[in-house]
Amino acid sequence: MGQISAQLVKELREKTGAGMMDCKKALMETNGDIQSAIDYLRERGIAQAAKKSGRVAAEGLCEVVVDGNNAVIFELNSETDFVAKNKDFLELLDKVGKALINSNVTNTEEALALTVNGETVETFLINATAKIGEKITLRRVTKVTKDASQGFGAYSHMGGRIVSLVLLAKDNEVVGKDIAMHIAANNPRYLNSASVDAATLEHEKQVLTNQALQEGKPANIVEKMIVGRLNKYLKEICLVDQPFVKDPDLTVAQYLKNNGNDVISFVRLEVGEGIEKVEEDFAAEVAAVTKGN
């Protein structure tokens, strides 16, 4: 069969969860017969990935790769911490990192569509899912580019459970690593108070107002209390106002000033953030299997 329609490829992808190139090849090998193509993929272990597509991949590792004026930071997820430590997963993490740093991708969608050695990143993740035996997903890809005079700082904590990347106004390896380490440890949400969005401020103000009213404070006192508590909250969530992790007597802003530098931006990733994990009852699962036998 010469031509395989895009619609047929799409249908096979939806039925098996296999990658586009694998689906196209399977259809060509089976003269466009969907059922035979499904069997073809199953025989090669590729369609096994489809069975895992509904599972939650909330473990894994994060990675940050710096190469000259480019850096990429991303998260590769697996279903269990055990798999995240195995050789195949670590090789996959390295392969993805190299592919991303040598490309122009700026986000996850672009990363999945990136073609490396004739196959997309999405396809080799699906193939990895079949090989490794757990759902493997790529998420939260960020590419950062700097000027020659600027500097990067990167830090990986707990073997990649938490990673951070900072862009400095001036290149300084020591300051870069120190600030990246601080970001990994203290988890700031914003660079400074000016970068906190209005919705976050309003929400926190409302929470603090309700707290103060619950304490039975009079309205005129409540207003002053909120200002103080809001400022305290901002110092906790803004990088430059936090006590510097290596010297808590200094704020990060003071440490930067002492070293004649500034932070332009930063990214911090922690494995599984924002993924709703499914709590499985292992005893119930074993009981159900035993009952079926």
Side-chain angles (χ1 to χ4, degrees):
M1 189 171 180
Q3 279 295 104
I4 300 294
S5 73
Q7 185 56 42
L8 210 55
V9 174
K10 183 173 181 282
E11 190 180 335
L12 185 58
R13 285 190 75 186
E14 287 169 355
K15 286 180 183 291
T16 63
M20 188 171 69
M21 297 305 290
D22 286 320
C23 287
K24 192 173 182 181
K25 186 180 178 185
L27 287 163
M28 289 182 79
E29 293 286 337
T30 57
N31 293 317
D33 183 274
I34 283 276
Q35 197 52 54
S36 298
I38 291 171
D39 291 341
Y40 175 94
L41 291 169
R42 284 186 62 200
E43 284 160 14
R44 285 153 184 78
I46 296 168
Q48 292 297 317
K51 292 183 179 178
K52 305 174 198 309
S53 64
R55 295 190 191 170
V56 178
E59 292 295 333
L61 291 172
C62 298
E63 178 72 300
V64 57
V65 184
V66 177
D67 183 14
N69 287 335
N70 295 302
V72 67
I73 185 167
F74 65 95
E75 179 181 1
L76 193 67
N77 297 111
S78 59
E79 293 175 48
T80 65
D81 183 43
F82 178 75
V83 156
K85 292 172 182 171
N86 82 20
K87 183 170 167 279
D88 288 337
F89 187 86
L90 293 172
E91 283 177 1
L92 185 64
L93 188 77
D94 183 59
K95 187 178 180 182
V96 171
K98 283 176 179 169
L100 297 180
I101 197 69
N102 292 317
S103 74
N104 295 317
V105 303
T106 58
N107 57 46
T108 308
E109 192 175 18
E110 290 174 3
L112 289 170
L114 177 67
T115 301
V116 183
N117 298 330
E119 64 177 3
T120 63
V121 169
E122 182 180 19
T123 300
F124 71 65
L125 289 180
I126 288 168
N127 292 340
T129 293
K131 182 184 177 185
I132 292 171
E134 283 192 8
K135 184 180 178 183
I136 309 295
T137 57
L138 175 67
R139 68 192 288 255
R140 301 199 291 171
V141 176
T142 302
K143 184 88 174 275
V144 182
T145 303
K146 73 175 184 68
D147 295 336
S149 61
Q150 295 172 332
F152 282 133
Y155 188 74
S156 179
H157 182 59
M158 293 171 66
R161 294 288 299 178
I162 299 170
V163 298
S164 58
L165 173 68
V166 62
L167 175 60
L168 294 175
K170 296 176 186 174
D171 189 20
N172 186 314
E173 193 177 331
V174 174
V175 173
K177 188 172 182 182
D178 277 352
I179 297 296
M181 186 193 298
H182 174 96
I183 290 163
N186 282 27
N187 193 15
R189 287 174 54 195
Y190 300 92
L191 174 56
N192 51 38
S193 56
S195 60
V196 182
D197 59 283
T200 298
L201 280 175
E202 191 50 47
H203 176 262
E204 191 60 25
K205 196 174 179 182
Q206 196 58 53
V207 170
L208 292 172
T209 301
N210 291 337
Q211 278 179 1
L213 291 172
Q214 292 280 339
E215 292 166 13
K217 301 285 192 297
N220 62 325
I221 302 289
V222 166
E223 205 167 317
K224 289 176 185 174
M225 282 176 63
I226 291 164
V227 172
R229 289 181 182 182
L230 197 58
N231 285 335
K232 183 174 180 287
Y233 169 73
L234 288 171
K235 285 179 180 176
E236 288 169 0
I237 64 168
C238 294
L239 171 64
V240 296
D241 295 322
Q242 291 180 337
F244 178 47
V245 70
K246 288 175 79 172
D247 184 357
D249 289 335
L250 294 175
T251 62
V252 170
Q254 287 167 334
Y255 170 78
L256 287 165
K257 188 179 180 183
N258 291 349
N259 286 278
N261 219 322
D262 278 307
V263 171
I264 294 169
S265 64
F266 70 89
V267 184
R268 180 190 186 274
L269 298 182
E270 186 168 346
V271 170
E273 279 176 316
I275 302 176
E276 194 172 325
K277 298 184 184 182
V278 178
E279 296 297 331
E280 294 178 358
D281 188 336
F282 185 66
E285 198 177 305
V286 171
V289 172
T290 309
K291 194 176 179 182
N293 293 336

